Amino acid sequence: MDAPADAPTAPRADAPTALLVMEEERRADVYPPEVLAAIGDLVTWSAPPCTRQELADAPGQLRDVDFLLTGWGAPVLEAGLLARAPRLRAVFVAAGSVRHITTPAFWGRGIPIVSAAAANAVPVSEFTLAQVLLGLKQTHRIAREAAAGRGFPGHPEVAGAYRTRVGLWGLGHIGRLVAGHLSRFDVEVVATDPVASPSAARKAGVQLVDLDELFATSQVVSLHAPLLPRTRGVVGAHLVNSLRPGATLINTARGALIDEPAAVDVLRNRPDLTAVLDVTDPEPPVADSPLFTLPNVVLTPHIAGAVGTERHRLGRLVLDELRRFTRSEPLHHALDPARADSLA
């Protein structure tokens, strides 16, 4: 069969077969030509790249596939798809979360699945670091007050980045990277994460506190928790209103972690606060959402994660993991089925 246009067919007759299934719009960013070429040295492409819908229209092309490569727009790994892929040995996802595509039938099959969440965490952590430092200087608040007053305040009160407390809700890939970035600054970092051990927290350079203390004592709070039934809407009126004067709340995780109507009410009454929201629920917000008009809300369209050439990292992670698998080496980014219920 034809190989992807940018990737030569592997020269070895006994090479395993692979199929690339993801949305077309971001395919070239995630799997640039040099990555496809390197993958093509490891596998034989069973068919040209296709989208989830194209796979649904021609499911027979899964019959001889050993490796499923994917990314945004991945197919759901449900029982019917798995039945049509009897040779499937591993799934490589050049994206972050796999929660929306994995099913009990998939986990029951015992097939390893690789996520590129660690690669996607890099730009999110960089974006977060930038916003944390801006928040410690209360840059957004002072800028809007200067614009509203048509002048500069004489002696603005700012916390600054010296011995100031920054709170992280979540110590997954992104939370740990943010903590690592902040270790280069003279700030105190605390975190809330019910599954993080004290030793893991010490290794990350943070002190574990409960969520109430995190919000009430931090000058900047950044959300990095997974969206689970127990975390949905947790950040409501009580927590937001407990923030210190001039504090900044950053959300690059999932919009539904925040009870939006409750948070909006507090933000209306607390113009000293700033909310930097890169994710919302729904996304984008409805046209008449107050998030578009509240002066103390900084709204960005989910750009903290990998965009443009930053997405190359995700494809390269898949390439590295595929190479390890073909060499019978341990995978570095395979997900633990035992923790499937807590995945973001």
Side-chain angles (χ1 to χ4, degrees), residues 142-295:
I142 293 172
R144 63 179 176 264
E145 290 177 357
R150 297 295 192 270
F152 292 163
H155 299 283
E157 293 186 8
V158 298
Y162 180 70
R163 306 292 173 87
T164 312
R165 178 172 278 198
V166 176
L168 308 176
W169 183 22
L171 280 178
H173 286 301
I174 299 168
R176 292 194 303 272
L177 280 177
V178 173
H181 290 323
L182 290 171
S183 69
R184 296 178 288 135
F185 299 89
D186 200 352
V187 296
E188 178 190 12
V189 183
V190 296
T192 299
D193 190 319
V195 301
S197 66
S199 61
R202 285 194 298 272
K203 185 176 180 180
V206 305
Q207 173 190 348
L208 291 176
V209 298
D210 65 37
L211 200 58
D212 281 342
E213 180 179 344
L214 184 105
F215 270 76
T217 63
S218 300
Q219 195 62 45
V220 177
V221 172
S222 189
L223 309 186
H224 304 289
L227 179 59
L228 305 170
R230 64 179 179 272
T231 62
R232 180 178 291 272
V234 164
V235 181
H238 166 71
L239 288 177
V240 178
N241 199 42
S242 73
L243 288 167
R244 296 168 60 85
T248 297
L249 174 64
I250 303 167
N251 190 9
T252 58
R254 292 289 185 267
L257 294 173
I258 297 177
D259 178 345
E260 184 181 305
V264 163
D265 285 344
V266 175
L267 291 168
R268 281 198 182 103
N269 293 313
R270 292 279 308 274
D272 61 297
L273 300 178
T274 298
V276 178
L277 306 179
D278 188 57
V279 289
T280 57
D281 183 41
E283 192 172 294
V286 296
D288 61 350
S289 170
L291 296 179
F292 286 119
T293 55
L294 275 172

Side-chain angles (χ1 to χ4, degrees), residues 284-320:
V286 296
D288 61 350
S289 170
L291 296 179
F292 286 119
T293 55
L294 275 172
N296 54 344
V297 172
V298 178
L299 201 59
T300 54
H302 207 144
I303 59 170
V307 296
T309 56
E310 292 174 335
R311 295 173 183 153
H312 290 9
R313 282 194 186 101
L314 283 67
R316 289 188 179 278
L317 183 147
V318 164
L319 168 62
D320 291 342

Side-chain angles (χ1 to χ4, degrees), residues 34-67:
E34 64 274 16
V35 170
L36 282 180
I39 292 174
D41 290 335
L42 301 172
V43 304
T44 295
W45 295 104
S46 64
C50 63
T51 64
R52 178 170 52 198
Q53 184 57 54
E54 290 168 340
L55 178 63
D57 293 340
Q61 58 191 314
L62 285 168
R63 183 178 58 252
D64 299 322
V65 169
D66 295 303
F67 303 139

